Structures are given as structure tokens and as C-alpha cells.
Amino acid sequence: MVEQAASGTNLRKKLQRTVRRKKIEAVGLTTPLFCVMLIFYFVPIGLMFYRSIDNSQMREILPATAKAIQQWDGEGLPGEPAYAAMVADMKHAYPNRTLARAGRRLNFDLVGFYSLLLKSGRKVSRLGGPPYKAALIKLDKKWGDPRYWKVLKRGLKNTTLIYLLAALDFRYNDNNRIVGVPDNQAIYRSIIARTIYISLSVTLLCLVIGFPIAYYMATATPRTRNILMILLLLVFWTSLLVRTLSWIVVLQKKGVVNSLLLSSGLVSHPLNLVFNRIGVYIAMTHVLLPFMVLPLYSVMRGIPPHYVRAARSLGATSIVAFIRVYIPQTKAGIGAGSLIVFIQALGYYITPALVGGPKDQMLSYFVAFFVNERVNWSMASALGVMLLVLTGSFYLIFGRRVGITNIKLG
Amino acid sequence: MALSVHATVGERIWYYAFRIIIGLIFTYLLFPLLAIIPLSFNSGEFLHYPIQHLSLRWYRDFFMSGHWGVPIQNSLIVGFSAMVLATVLGTLTAVGINRADFPGKQLLVALLISPMMIPLVITALALYLFYARIGLNDTYIGIILAHAILGVPFVLITVSATLQGFDYNLVRAGASLGASPMRVFFKVVMPNIAPGIVSGALFAFAISLDEVVVVLFIAGPAHRTLPRQMFSGIREYLTPTFLAAATVLIVVAAMLMVTLEMLRKRREKLNRPIENAAAE
């Protein structure tokens, strides 16, 4: 008896040890990839978030002012120490060329600051001794305007919300309150709305076009099904750039579509089919269609035909049976396909950039625009944060409901 | 779906109408690709029909001129390296994930798959800012790492799918016959999940070969890849050489697809006896 009990606990211990070893092995095998992704993916994304609020370089450019301005309560004009500190900082920062950077940053908050700083920086070395307050105001009367000092005080904190606010068309007013920007300057909210609108339209188009072919493939003979699947996968595997390029060639003024339309007499002038919204819809739907068809098809393949037959035998017409019995069974496929297409569409950059006009560009385009054309990494990051939050929230809201993790690929 | 003898007139009309609709949709899918292939053999410099004479002029330009040689070479270097890196890391991780449950596994998988769902422009911007700090912008290694991370989710998914059909009794059998865990992995597990690994590798290669957004941000002029070259070309000046390049890429896509389909069939064949055994 005693021996048996001992060997029992032994066995349990052995089992526990094996299970533990397996767990350790499992963790060990996943560690290399996780470390690579942590360093080269998640840390960078975290940095992007930080970058959208980071303001620390301002304190490095204007250190004395940053210290002195803390003593000022923000009412009226600051005292002589702040002016003296500003003069000292400008004397140092102007030859280093960092003053221009500070100017650009402050100009983002209040237009006119860039020219003020550059002008003052150029002339500051010729200023006499103290008192500097009167001297600076004499140099440029903007230094006597409390608005500039308020912006400066706000601009010398370690973090700033101005980029994130700007990405939603908000800004600080003269009283440090957050207000909407004037209508003629508001752009980003409409860009976000446009991004969602285009993505929804493309999703809907994919569903309308994808549903019939998924249904046809799911119910066709194996031979037809195989041929159609191969054609679909061929399109799926063809490079996105190749497909976009093809559409430009086909849809241009002298392209195949227009010459067919002209020679058939349907139109008398070539239509504008590309470099506008129509082109974006045609090309994006084409690129994303397989992502709708594949999940729909795999769900439809699993639907037994009995229910529709039962409905028919109970007297339902084929249309009623299809709408009330068949379509509800495809819900999982519709949900998964729509979510994949929608989320991918939200982040699209290449296709709209190539086949769209200026008014068809989506959020991604403006992220790239601020990096490549404006060299404003903070604003690019703020728009990136908006795009990521937008994508993430749609994913979290709908992802669990449609069970997106169950989708198989290939 | 065949038309029954008793079909009503309405059903007959719908039967043919539906087939016409399907035909139109597939025309929409294939038409642009089929339309540009003949144009790439046109001797003229126009990007529209009619074709003047057949010629391989633009293919010569694509393969022979130095203009395209460097991007092709870069694409192959980056594509192969990223594929190898993604496949090794992805396969190890897939084996680990399927080995045992551990706390936080669900979250880990979600994180590892996330590059598939996060917009490319975010990846591109985040890496650009990060690389600017550590000096990896305008380097091969930077692009390769980025593309490997984008390819990893696909390797994970395909290898996990094959592992789910893998019979772990084979591992026990190997171990009981005295093979070391390493030997069991390479002699027993690997040959069985090879189709999944190869599929994942091809996915990863295809992702890299098609990727342009990240390259736009982090690659310098010396590291232009084929898609990058095409992107700027389409924006600035479109010549028939682009159609030749596109045709070559369509052929590559067709070959990839055929290989993957063959692998998938093989995988299904490998998995079938086990599924049947489990069902019994």
C-alpha cells in the first residue's frame, strides 16, 4: 500500500515535470520571434505614439526660457527675467540653426511665430544690455503681445497635445481652452469621414459582387468550382501594384474600356474613369474582392442544402427560401469578409494614391504626406495614431463578434 | 445547380441571367490583367490598342537595361532574406504554440498576427521613426527585418494549420525508439509539416515582393525594390516597360499560386487518414 502510494505521487510528480518542461519549451520556442517583434515592431509603434505628444526638444532649444517662464502666471506679460532668458536662448540657438526648428514648432500653434523668432534671432546679437523687455518689444511689437507668450509657455512643456488635437481639427485658443478650428481650416475630420465612407462603400461593393460568385462557386460542380477558384486565386496572388497599373491602363481616356464604349456607341466622348473616385472604387473593389469571397465561400461550402429544400417543400418560393433561410446561414461569412475588407480598406494608401484624385486620398496618404513632403514627424505620428485607433476600435468592436481569428488562409 | 426539367420560365430566365452575372464579375476580375499582357508585346510606345507589331522590345528593356536590373536584384535579395527569417522564426513559434498551453498564449498569438491587420502605413512610419534613431534607414537589414515581420503571420497560420493535423504519436514513437528531440524534429516532424512550411515561406516571399509602402518610407535610392520602382514610375511616367514588368509579375504570381495549390492538396492528403481515424 505504502509503496503504491509512493509510486503514485512519483508518477504525478513526473507528469507535472513533463508538463512543466513542455511549457518551458513552448515559451522558449516562441521567445526569439517575440523578441524580434518587440524590438522591431511594438517598440517602434510605441515610439510613434510617444512622438505624437513629445515636445522635449523645445526645452533643449530654449532651456533658460523654459525655466524662467515657469515663474510667470500666464496673465498679461511676463517680467524681465523671461525676456532676458529668451534673449540668451536666441543668441545661442540662432547660430546653431535650432531656432528655426523651434519657430516651425511654435508656428504650428500660432502663425507668425516662425518669422518672429527668425527676425529676432538675426538681430538679437546687436541688442545692448538689459533691460531686455523694452528692447525686444522695440525690436518687434509681437513680443509685447501676451498671445505669443502664452503659446511659448504652452510650447515649452515636455509634452503637447497640439498635434493630436490638430488631427481632429481642434486647437488651443488664446485662453488655453480647446476649441474647434475655423471651418475654412478644418480638414482632418472630413478626411477621417472620407476614409470611413470610401472603406464602407468598397466593403458594400465587395459584398454585392462577392456574394453571387461565392454562392455560385459553393454550389457549382467540382470542375467548375476548381476552375473559378484558380482564376480567383490568380487575381488574388497578382501584385497589388500590377493590378492598380492595369486599371490605369485600361481605364484611361484612350484605354480599352473607353474605346469599347465609344465604338459601341454608348457614349460620344471618352469618360473620366480614372484619377477620380470612380477609379478608386473600381480598383479598390478589385483588389479587396478575394478577401470577401474566400471567407464567404468557406462558410457557404459548409451549409447543408436540406434547410432550403425543407423551406421549398413547405411552400416557400425560391426567392423567399433564399432570403429567409439561406442568407441567415451565411452571416458568419458576411461578417468576417466585411470586417477584413473594411479594415484593410481603412489603411489603403497605394491604390488611392495612384488611381485617385486629390479629393480621394485617405488618412494613410496624409501620414505619408507629412513625412515625405512636410518633414513634420509629429503630425504624421498624430495622424498615424488616429488611423491605428480607428482600425483598432473597429477590430475590437466587431472582431470578436464575427470570430475573425477562425479565418483560414490559403 | 443544374436546371431541372420542371423549371418554370422564371426559373429558366434566372438560371441564365445568374450565369451571365457570374460571367460579368469574372470578366471584371480578369479583364484588366488580360488586357495589359498583349500590350506589353506591342512594338509602339503607346499604352493602348491597336497593337502595331509584335516585339520583345520592352522585355529587353526590362531585363537588360540597368534601370531595372538593380531593383530586380534588390527585390530578390530582400525577398529571399525576409522569407528565410520569417520562415525560421515563424516555424519555431508555431511549433512552440502548438506544444503546450501557457498563460497569455491567446494574447501572444494576437500580437504576433497583428502586422496582418495593422495598416502598412503605420508599420512604415513607426519603423521609419525607430530606424532614424538607430541608423537602420536606407539599409538592407532594415528592409529585410520589416518584411520578415510582415511575412511572419502567414508562416504562423500555415504552419499551425499543418501542425493541427499532425499526429503527435509519431513524436512519441520516435522518442521511444531512442531519437533525441532534435533528431525527432528534423526526421519526423519536419517532413510531415514541410508542405505548411513551404506554403508559409512562399506567402512570406510574395508579401515582400509586393510590398511598397514600408519601402517607400525606409529605403533609400540604392535600395529601390521592384515595386518601389514601379510605384514612382506609375506616378511620373508610364512606359510599356511597366507592362512587361507587370506581365512578368503576373507569371510569377501564377507560378506561386500553382505551387501553393499543389502543396495544399498534398497537405490535405497527408491530413486525411488522421482525420478519418479521429472520426472513427
Side-chain angles (χ1 to χ4, degrees):
Chain A
M1 283 292 280
V2 178
E3 249 173 49
Q4 246 177 13
S7 73
T9 46
N10 254 343
L11 205 60
R12 194 177 305 142
K13 266 189 188 153
K14 261 190 183 167
L15 188 67
Q16 278 173 350
R17 208 179 304 143
T18 322
V19 169
R20 201 178 312 133
R21 207 184 56 214
K22 264 192 162 180
K23 272 187 191 172
I24 292 169
E25 276 173 18
V27 173
L29 285 166
T30 53
T31 305
L33 176 60
F34 183 72
C35 289
V36 169
M37 291 205 34
L38 186 69
I39 299 170
F40 289 98
Y41 197 67
F42 299 116
V43 168
I45 288 180
L47 273 178
M48 182 191 80
F49 271 85
Y50 177 62
R51 183 87 209 193
S52 69
I53 56 163
D54 178 27
N55 199 42
S56 54
Q57 59 164 338
M58 288 295 291
R59 299 179 81 119
E60 287 159 24
I61 298 172
L62 307 169
T65 316
K67 207 172 279 171
I69 211 161
Q70 276 174 0
Q71 311 299 324
W72 174 48
D73 60 358
E75 292 301 317
L77 284 173
E80 173 66 17
Y83 281 89
M86 195 62 210
V87 168
D89 280 338
M90 283 199 291
K91 268 183 188 161
H92 187 71
Y94 182 72
N96 283 347
R97 294 175 178 236
T98 49
L99 195 61
R101 215 190 306 160
R104 267 198 298 277
R105 157 67 185 82
L106 292 169
N107 209 55
F108 197 86
D109 210 347
L110 180 61
V111 177
F113 227 126
Y114 181 72
S115 56
L116 171 65
L117 278 197
L118 278 208
K119 180 186 167 194
S120 312
R122 200 163 53 235
K123 294 184 178 167
V124 78
S125 56
R126 270 176 268 153
L127 281 183
Y132 290 111
K133 185 167 180 175
L136 267 186
I137 293 172
K138 198 179 155 218
L139 200 154
D140 193 317
K141 61 179 187 306
K142 282 177 188 165
W143 287 116
D145 184 344
R147 282 192 307 154
Y148 284 85
W149 284 99
K150 277 179 181 164
V151 167
L152 192 59
K153 186 174 165 78
R154 190 157 70 220
L156 285 170
K157 291 192 179 125
N158 254 331
T159 56
T160 177
L161 284 177
I162 57 164
Y163 298 110
L164 286 173
L165 289 174
L168 290 170
D169 290 335
F170 287 109
R171 63 177 178 85
Y172 287 106
N173 69 3
D174 296 339
N175 299 320
N176 263 336
R177 290 263 162 72
I178 295 169
V179 292
V181 302
D183 283 345
N184 57 353
Q185 289 167 30
I187 40 175
Y188 298 109
R189 265 184 255 172
S190 68
I191 289 166
I192 293 173
R194 178 199 296 164
T195 305
I196 296 174
Y197 179 78
I198 292 180
S199 305
L200 271 180
S201 311
V202 169
T203 310
L204 209 64
L205 283 169
C206 281
L207 185 62
V208 169
I209 298 175
F211 197 92
I213 53 175
Y215 178 70
Y216 185 71
M217 281 165 62
T219 52
T221 57
R223 208 179 108 83
T224 321
R225 177 192 308 153
N226 271 339
I227 294 172
L228 294 185
M229 186 50 111
I230 283 173
L231 292 178
L232 185 72
L233 287 177
L234 176 65
V235 176
F236 180 63
W237 277 98
T238 301
S239 156
L240 180 136
L241 269 175
V242 169
R243 288 194 266 166
T244 307
L245 162 71
S246 308
W247 278 116
I248 294 175
V249 171
V250 166
L251 292 177
Q252 60 180 321
K253 279 253 162 85
K254 287 180 171 180
V256 191
V257 172
N258 265 322
S259 29
L260 283 178
L261 286 174
L262 281 173
S263 61
S264 68
L266 281 171
V267 294
S268 52
H269 303 287
L271 300 174
N272 290 322
L273 294 172
V274 74
F275 309 126
N276 54 24
R277 193 61 68 83
I278 300 171
V280 171
Y281 285 145
I282 294 179
M284 273 184 75
T285 306
H286 186 257
V287 171
L288 289 168
L289 189 58
F291 291 100
M292 179 67 86
V293 175
L294 292 174
L296 265 179
Y297 169 77
S298 79
V299 167
M300 285 175 178
R301 284 276 285 152
I303 295 177
H306 323 313
Y307 299 113
V308 170
R309 273 190 219 144
R312 291 300 304 276
S313 78
L314 290 167
T317 63
S318 47
I319 297 171
V320 170
F322 187 76
I323 293 175
R324 300 207 27 204
V325 180
Y326 191 80
I327 290 184
Q329 295 182 79
T330 62
K331 249 190 201 160
I334 294 177
S338 304
L339 187 62
I340 296 180
V341 169
F342 181 70
I343 282 183
Q344 295 221 51
L346 281 180
Y348 253 50
Y349 168 50
I350 297 298
T351 308
L354 290 176
V355 302
K359 293 199 163 166
D360 310 311
Q361 301 307 328
M362 298 161 63
L363 258 178
S364 291
Y365 174 87
F366 293 91
V367 175
F369 172 78
F370 273 105
V371 170
N372 299 323
E373 323 249 321
R374 285 287 174 84
V375 202
N376 186 342
W377 294 357
S378 302
M379 194 58 208
S381 298
L383 289 172
V385 168
M386 289 302 148
L387 179 59
L388 193 56
V389 168
L390 195 65
T391 316
S393 45
F394 276 108
Y395 185 78
L396 289 179
I397 294 170
F398 298 108
R400 200 156 294 185
R401 210 172 295 172
V402 300
I404 200 150
T405 40
N406 300 330
I407 303 306
K408 277 191 221 150
L409 288 148
Chain B
M1 276 278 287
L3 200 56
S4 96
V5 232
H6 311 292
T8 61
V9 179
E11 278 172 346
R12 269 167 211 277
I13 293 173
W14 174 240
Y15 177 85
Y16 291 110
F18 186 55
R19 267 149 191 78
I20 291 171
I21 293 171
I22 299 299
L24 285 175
I25 296 172
F26 270 91
T27 311
Y28 164 66
L29 272 174
L30 294 166
F31 175 69
L33 302 182
L34 296 180
I36 61 155
I37 294 174
L39 276 179
S40 70
F41 293 100
N42 190 0
S43 63
E45 291 185 7
F46 299 110
L47 293 165
H48 52 82
Y49 287 94
I51 286 176
Q52 293 159 315
H53 298 284
L54 290 179
S55 130
L56 288 175
R57 175 181 171 192
W58 307 111
Y59 287 87
R60 215 172 299 131
D61 188 39
F62 177 61
F63 285 113
M64 304 297 183
S65 78
H67 202 57
W68 290 86
V70 175
I72 294 174
Q73 198 188 331
N74 282 341
S75 265
L76 291 177
I77 293 173
V78 171
F80 273 110
S81 317
M83 176 183 83
V84 171
L85 194 59
T87 310
V88 171
L89 290 174
T91 305
L92 283 180
T93 308
V95 170
I97 284 170
N98 281 278
R99 193 163 197 84
D101 281 326
F102 50 87
K105 190 166 124 171
Q106 292 268 317
L107 180 68
L108 180 74
V109 173
L111 283 176
L112 297 180
I113 302 268
S114 65
M116 223 164 61
M117 301 311 286
I118 291 180
L120 276 172
V121 98
I122 305 270
T123 310
L125 173 63
L127 282 175
Y128 176 72
L129 297 177
F130 180 62
Y131 284 178
R133 289 187 180 212
I134 60 171
L136 273 183
N137 276 329
D138 304 349
T139 61
Y140 278 118
I141 188 82
I143 309 171
I144 290 167
L145 275 165
H147 280 188
I149 286 169
L150 293 176
V152 149
F154 296 89
V155 179
L156 270 179
I157 289 172
T158 52
V159 177
S160 293
T162 14
L163 276 170
Q164 265 150 28
F166 177 71
D167 186 355
Y168 276 94
N169 285 326
L170 295 175
V171 173
R172 295 189 193 108
S176 76
L177 290 168
S180 68
M182 277 305 242
R183 198 173 154 83
V184 169
F185 181 76
F186 283 107
K187 291 278 171 186
V188 180
V189 183
M190 272 283 269
N192 273 291
I193 63 169
I197 298 177
V198 177
S199 301
L202 289 179
F203 261 107
F205 182 71
I207 298 286
S208 168
L209 196 64
D210 196 19
E211 204 293 313
V212 56
V213 182
V214 176
V215 172
L216 266 174
F217 276 68
I218 65 172
H223 305 95
R224 278 180 163 235
T225 58
L226 190 53
R228 171 77 179 79
Q229 176 89 349
M230 287 183 75
F231 179 78
S232 52
I234 294 171
R235 275 193 142 178
E236 287 145 25
Y237 59 99
L238 205 50
T239 67
T241 312
F242 287 88
L243 302 186
T247 308
V248 170
L249 285 174
I250 293 174
V251 172
V252 171
M255 292 192 315
L256 276 173
M257 195 240 356
V258 170
T259 320
L260 276 163
E261 275 305 283
M262 276 161 44
L263 286 167
R264 199 176 55 87
K265 293 251 160 72
R266 222 188 117 179
R267 221 159 65 199
E268 278 174 5
K269 221 179 263 174
L270 277 174
N271 284 351
R272 202 162 296 139
I274 298 158
E275 275 165 21
N276 287 351
E280 275 165 20

